[in-house]
Each structure stands twice: as structure tokens, then as C-alpha cells.
């Protein structure tokens, strides 16, 4: 194993700046999967479980969602919420039991609500409740992607080291080109964030500037 005194931020900067870096690239049609933009994770003014990396993250995601809708492509929003018994959290909800614990994000609670800044079009966008890190696990997401015949999944949300990473691994494993716009994902600590951006870029996904994805979507609209 190679050792280094560089920070995760420095290593990520080196990986990102490599002009020889190969990409999977975009395909013909994409789905936008926005992971866990709920108050427990976005409202830093309310909950200590929340985090913010780029202050414009949600604004960027709203821009992406607008482009996807204009193309009649699927937009998915996920959140986590559990029963009063927390039995649906399984072993994942057993290590702590405080008001901030994962399994204590209850249906109908403020922690489970989507952040009001998210411009969700209820009735048009798909909203899935998930219990585990990946949005592919025991949700209708896979069936939706098959129905729409997409070959590309664009992933936003949090956390970079948790649910975003799990989603990217599952997406690639199912054969989808997987795109992660850097400004649209966030984590609790920069070390986890940048280390996982590096992992995603080197193994599972194209981590791109959000402007790159917006330009691709605009190109698809022009060509339609």
C-alpha cells in the first residue's frame, strides 16, 4: 500500500486534474436520482445530523431536475423514514438510540420531511422511501429505470461516503453509466467527502462539474 502525508482534499485535486483520466461518459437517456434531501441531513440550522458542503447544492439539483423534466426523463427523490418500532431499520438501527439516531427518523416527522428548498413536483417526480443506504435496495427504482430504458444514472445528495457511494456502486453493478456532479453531493466531513469522490472517480462513476451535466442535458434538448 502506498503511503502519503497528503490530505484527502489534495489527493482528490490531483485525481481530478489528471487530463489522461478515462471516463465512462454519458449514454442516450438518463434518470436523476436525488438522495435524502430531507431536513435531518440538510437543515444545519435545526439538526446536528445535517451537513453542507456546497451552499448552492440544492439550487444546482433543482436546475438538473428542471432539465430532466423538460426532456420527459425521470426525476426521483428518496428519503429515509422508519416505523415507530424501528424494526424496518434492522441491525442498522441498533448501535445507538438517541433522538438523532437513524432509526428515530420517523414517518411524518420534521427529520423525515424534504427540505423546503427542493423544488419537488409531487405527482410528476417519483418519491421513494428507502430503509438502507442504496436507493436500489427494496425500492421500485430498478423497475423505473427499465421502464424508461435509461442507460445513465445521475446521482446527487448525501452523504458522499454513505448513500451516494452505495447508489453509485449499485448503479454501476446494474450496468448503468453513473454520473456524480461534484457540487451536488455533500458529507459531514471533508475527509470522507474528498476520499470518496476519489474512490468514485477511480472505480465506479464519472465525478464531473455540474456545468458539464447541465451542458449535456441542454445538448440533448437541442437534439430532440
Amino acid at each position: 500500500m502506498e503511503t502519503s502525508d497528503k490530505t484527502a482534499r489534495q489527493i482528490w485535486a490531483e485525481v481530478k486534474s489528471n487530463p489522461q483520466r478515462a471516463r465512462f461518459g454519458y449514454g442516450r437517456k438518463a434518470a436523476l436520482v436525488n438522495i435524502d434531501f430531507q431536513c435531518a441531513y440538510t437543515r444545519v440550522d435545526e439538526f446536528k445530523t445535517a451537513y453542507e458542503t456546497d451552499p448552492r447544492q440544492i439550487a444546482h439539483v433543482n436546475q438538473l431536475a428542471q432539465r430532466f423534466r423538460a426532456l420527459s426523463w425521470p426525476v426521483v427523490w428518496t428519503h429515509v423514514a422508519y416505523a415507530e418500532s424501528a424494526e424496518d431499520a434492522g441491525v442498522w438501527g441498533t448501535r445507538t438510540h438517541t433522538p438523532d439516531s437513524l432509526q428515530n427518523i420517523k414517518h411524518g416527522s420534521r427529520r423525515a420531511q424534504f427540505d423546503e428548498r427542493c423544488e419537488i413536483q409531487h405527482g410528476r417526480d417519483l418519491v421513494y422511501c428507502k430503509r438502507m443506504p442504496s436507493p436500489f435496495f427494496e425500492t421500485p427504482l430498478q423497475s423505473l429505470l427499465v421502464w424508461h430504458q435509461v442507460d445513465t444514472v445521475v446521482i446527487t445528495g448525501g452523504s458522499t461516503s454513505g448513500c451516494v457511494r452505495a447508489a453509485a456502486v449499485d448503479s454501476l453493478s446494474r450496468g448503468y453509466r453513473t454520473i456524480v456532479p461534484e457540487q451536488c453531493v455533500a458529507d459531514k466531513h471533508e475527509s470522507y467527502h474528498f476520499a470518496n469522490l476519489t474512490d468514485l472517480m477511480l472505480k465506479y462513476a464519472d465525478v464531473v462539474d455540474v456545468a458539464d451535466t447541465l451542458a449535456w442535458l441542454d445538448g440533448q434538448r437541442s437534439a430532440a
Side-chain angles (χ1 to χ4, degrees):
M1 180 177 70
E2 181 179 347
T3 61
S4 172
D5 292 328
K6 297 175 184 173
T7 65
R9 180 191 287 265
Q10 291 171 322
I11 294 172
W12 164 240
E14 288 182 2
V15 169
K16 187 167 65 168
S17 64
N18 177 8
Q20 305 302 320
R21 174 177 46 81
R23 292 175 56 163
F24 297 111
Y26 299 96
R28 295 176 294 100
K29 183 178 181 180
L32 177 64
V33 180
N34 304 314
I35 300 174
D36 300 353
F37 282 95
Q38 60 193 95
C39 295
Y41 300 126
T42 60
R43 298 304 311 214
V44 294
D45 55 335
E46 295 184 51
F47 300 108
K48 67 180 183 181
T49 50
Y51 43 83
E52 181 179 86
T53 300
D54 186 322
R56 289 186 45 78
Q57 179 191 15
I58 292 177
H60 289 310
V61 172
N62 287 334
Q63 284 185 300
L64 289 174
Q66 290 170 5
R67 302 300 207 281
F68 272 77
R69 294 185 197 107
L71 287 161
S72 299
W73 289 359
V75 176
V76 178
W77 302 84
T78 75
H79 67 123
V80 295
Y82 299 98
E84 286 301 317
S85 65
E87 60 193 292
D88 47 350
V91 72
W92 202 20
T94 61
R95 290 198 298 183
T96 64
H97 184 49
T98 72
D100 298 316
S101 295
L102 173 78
Q103 74 277 15
N104 289 327
I105 300 176
K106 301 302 184 187
H107 291 287
S109 69
R110 176 67 178 160
R111 296 182 73 207
Q113 291 177 9
F114 284 106
D115 191 305
E116 295 86 350
R117 294 170 293 174
C118 295
E119 297 171 355
I120 302 172
Q121 288 194 7
H122 292 280
R124 190 280 176 198
D125 299 348
L126 284 303
V127 176
Y128 296 152
C129 182
K130 65 184 182 66
R131 277 76 173 181
M132 296 294 152
S134 172
F136 284 91
F137 186 79
E138 295 183 349
T139 75
L141 179 58
Q142 179 67 75
S143 298
L144 180 80
L145 301 184
V146 170
W147 169 253
H148 279 280
Q149 300 181 5
V150 308
D151 58 4
T152 303
V153 177
V154 177
I155 298 172
T156 76
S159 65
T160 315
S161 61
C163 297
V164 167
R165 182 191 176 102
V169 173
D170 274 358
S171 175
L172 177 77
S173 300
R174 284 165 168 78
Y176 297 106
R177 299 171 185 269
T178 304
I179 309 296
V180 178
E182 181 179 354
Q183 297 92 336
C184 297
V185 294
D187 210 320
K188 191 74 173 174
H189 192 283
E190 72 164 38
S191 181
Y192 320 144
H193 178 70
F194 290 118
N196 278 276
L197 288 181
T198 299
D199 272 354
L200 288 168
M201 177 81 98
L202 294 179
K203 300 170 185 172
Y204 309 119
D206 290 344
V207 182
V208 301
D209 193 288
V210 66
D212 184 276
T213 304
L214 290 169
W216 177 68
L217 292 168
D218 288 341
Q220 296 300 304
R221 183 84 187 278
S222 299

